[in-house]
Amino acid sequence: MTCTVGVDFGTSTTEVAVYDHGRTQIVSGWSGSPILPSVAAFLPNGTLEIGQGAKTRAGIDPKNSIHSAKRIIGLPWRSDTVQKFRASYGFDLEESPDGSPVFVTRAGKKSAGDIAEIILKHVAGFPVFEAIKADRVAVTVPSAFGPKPRNVIVAAARRAGFDKIEVLDEPYAAVMPYLAAAGGERFLAVYDLGGGTFDFALIKVNGVTHWLLASAGAPYLGGNDIDLRLADWAAETTLITYRQDLHSDPAVRHRLLLAAEEAKIALSDATETDLDLETIDPTLVGKKLKVERAQLERLCQDLVRRTFATCDEVLAKAKVNPSKVTDVVLVGGVTRMPSVREALRGYFGRAPLAEHPPDQVVAIGAAMAAALLSGDREVFKG
Ligand code: ADP
Ligand code: MG
């Protein structure tokens, strides 16, 4: 019986799935959650913290809490992407003798590949891997990744303890759970709105065979931008209402951003929620700020609209009309937002496929693809 693993090492979060005995399941890590923030923190006592704890620490120790490392993996110091990354975040980044960027941390100099290795090693230590022996491990990367970043990811996965590693493009992985052996010709659009990036791909499918027709992305467009918008609105409202500035202290600002993200997530289910200002700034005792879903939608509607410019571009490149798209596959946590789904329905004239959780579908599909590569024919049954 084939047993395979799919790993989606994302810019913001990492997910893992296992295919075993004909079934694919997402794996929950030590935290009990299937979603692991792709953040590694080097603590003053010499230990490491990975995931949610590291993400929270970024507010008090930004130079030693490394997130978004995937953005610069395998890229040279001199590239525009690395220079933009340097300008965007408060890390202490320098050029190493081999011309690649390294994070200067209290635990020494770490490359983006080292950070990937740390996160993947944490994943390789999940309890599920004590009981299984994987025949193959598929690690996903954006279609835009060149050979160097792909090699760095494979090397990091190998050092992390994984074996028989394949690299798979994220949109290919995302469509796997939606393929059917009996299906005819289809055009699947993969709309991936994650934490920091937006990617759109058009894939032609015939049965279980599929080809990438065209793809494009916006490297700085995602959930983080929505969090920023909501945080700025909350800070302004707090300043007017309580005469308190949430922007002056970096730690307060970081807690505000984390609270804004939490509120954004809550507003995908509820139509209103409260921002607890006291947990952001302890001087605001007992103060809360009500946020309505409609407010959040107003704040980010131009960001959502921008994603469709990329869709236009990809469809034009492939010479495919939106109405020709058979189905739209939702990928990325932000596609849980009702306004995003509604906008997609408007653009493509059909409801997107949402049978699999959008932040887990890539890992699930990767585990399936690995099983297929191992010659397992049960993948598309049941
Ligand atoms: P990536 O592929 O970039 O690593 P994900 O696909 O996990 O990341 O997307 C992470 C983003 O999704 C974050 O901005 C997070 O706040 C957002 N997100 C997660 N769940 C929800 C939700 N229920 N509603 C809105 N946004 C969400
Ligand atoms: Mg992703």
Side-chain angles (χ1 to χ4, degrees):
M1 210 55 169
T2 323
C3 175
T4 56
V5 176
V7 182
D8 173 10
F9 167 60
T11 307
S12 320
T13 72
T14 296
E15 292 77 27
V16 188
V18 169
Y19 173 87
D20 196 14
H21 286 85
R23 287 191 49 187
T24 315
Q25 271 179 309
I26 203 83
V27 171
S28 289
W30 294 104
S31 66
S33 166
I35 294 168
L36 177 78
S38 307
V39 191
F42 303 97
L43 274 55
N45 67 5
T47 61
L48 257 176
E49 184 143 5
I50 318 287
Q52 190 54 47
K55 183 173 170 179
T56 310
R57 272 194 69 80
I60 51 166
D61 195 8
K63 291 189 189 331
N64 293 290
S65 311
I66 314 298
H67 62 83
S68 309
K70 186 184 176 187
R71 286 190 182 283
I72 56 164
I73 211 156
L75 296 179
W77 172 260
R78 288 178 192 289
S79 67
D80 291 345
T81 306
V82 170
Q83 292 313 314
K84 172 146 196 212
F85 182 87
R86 232 180 122 203
S88 304
Y89 303 116
F91 301 125
D92 190 357
L93 214 63
E94 68 172 43
E95 183 178 9
S96 68
D98 69 359
S100 66
V102 283
F103 297 93
V104 182
T105 76
R106 62 164 63 88
K109 294 178 184 173
K110 307 284 178 190
S111 68
D114 293 335
I115 303 297
E117 175 190 341
I118 288 168
I119 291 164
L120 294 174
K121 195 178 263 166
H122 177 83
V123 163
F126 282 173
V128 65
F129 294 117
E130 282 167 21
I132 62 163
K133 173 97 189 71
D135 297 301
R136 206 176 288 262
V137 178
V139 183
T140 57
V141 294
S143 296
F145 264 28
K148 183 81 195 293
R150 286 170 196 251
N151 290 341
V152 175
I153 295 260
V154 171
R158 191 168 296 128
R159 289 198 308 272
F162 287 113
D163 204 6
K164 300 186 206 98
I165 304 154
E166 301 283 343
V167 180
L168 191 69
D169 285 22
E170 285 163 8
Y172 278 119
V175 300
M176 285 297 289
Y178 294 109
L179 300 183
E185 186 176 278
R186 296 194 288 157
F187 291 98
L188 295 187
V190 180
Y191 179 97
D192 180 353
L193 192 51
T197 58
F198 172 64
D199 291 286
F200 184 75
L202 185 68
I203 294 181
K204 187 173 170 179
V205 173
N206 204 326
V208 296
T209 317
H210 50 298
W211 312 260
L212 181 74
L213 294 183
S215 67
Y220 283 87
L221 178 58
N224 300 341
D225 301 288
I226 301 175
D227 303 343
L228 273 169
R229 292 278 176 91
L230 187 55
D232 286 346
W233 171 83
E236 201 179 303
T237 310
T238 304
L239 190 62
I240 294 166
T241 317
Y242 302 113
R243 309 219 167 278
Q244 186 74 359
D245 186 2
L246 301 177
H247 283 328
S248 52
D249 175 346
V252 172
R253 167 123 182 109
H254 183 71
R255 285 199 295 273
L256 170 63
L257 275 172
L258 293 180
E261 182 181 15
E262 238 175 75
K264 172 193 70 181
I265 290 172
L267 290 171
S268 288
D269 294 319
T271 51
E272 62 174 62
T273 189
D274 280 329
L275 270 178
D276 183 354
L277 295 177
E278 188 177 346
T279 61
I280 298 166
D281 181 340
T283 64
L284 289 163
V285 182
K287 301 284 192 278
K288 290 190 193 322
L289 196 64
K290 190 169 97 176
V291 195
E292 292 180 348
R293 182 191 284 169
Q295 179 63 39
L296 175 68
E297 289 174 351
R298 272 195 296 278
L299 289 168
C300 68
Q301 63 185 8
D302 64 302
L303 297 173
V304 176
R305 208 177 303 127
R306 262 178 60 198
T307 65
F308 292 103
T310 301
C311 298
D312 286 342
E313 184 194 321
V314 169
L315 292 170
K317 222 189 308 180
K319 298 195 176 65
V320 172
N321 195 285
S323 64
K324 278 274 180 302
V325 170
T326 324
D327 276 304
V328 182
V329 176
L330 292 182
V331 183
V334 183
T335 63
R336 291 180 188 268
M337 286 180 74
S339 61
V340 171
R341 293 191 180 193
E342 214 170 283
L344 276 164
R345 211 173 291 128
Y347 185 88
F348 289 101
R350 66 191 60 241
L353 298 176
E355 189 188 321
H356 297 279
D359 30 28
Q360 299 165 25
V361 68
V362 170
I364 291 170
M368 293 174 68
L372 200 65
L373 284 168
S374 297
D376 192 308
R377 293 171 176 279
E378 301 294 302
V379 182
F380 293 110
K381 289 187 192 151

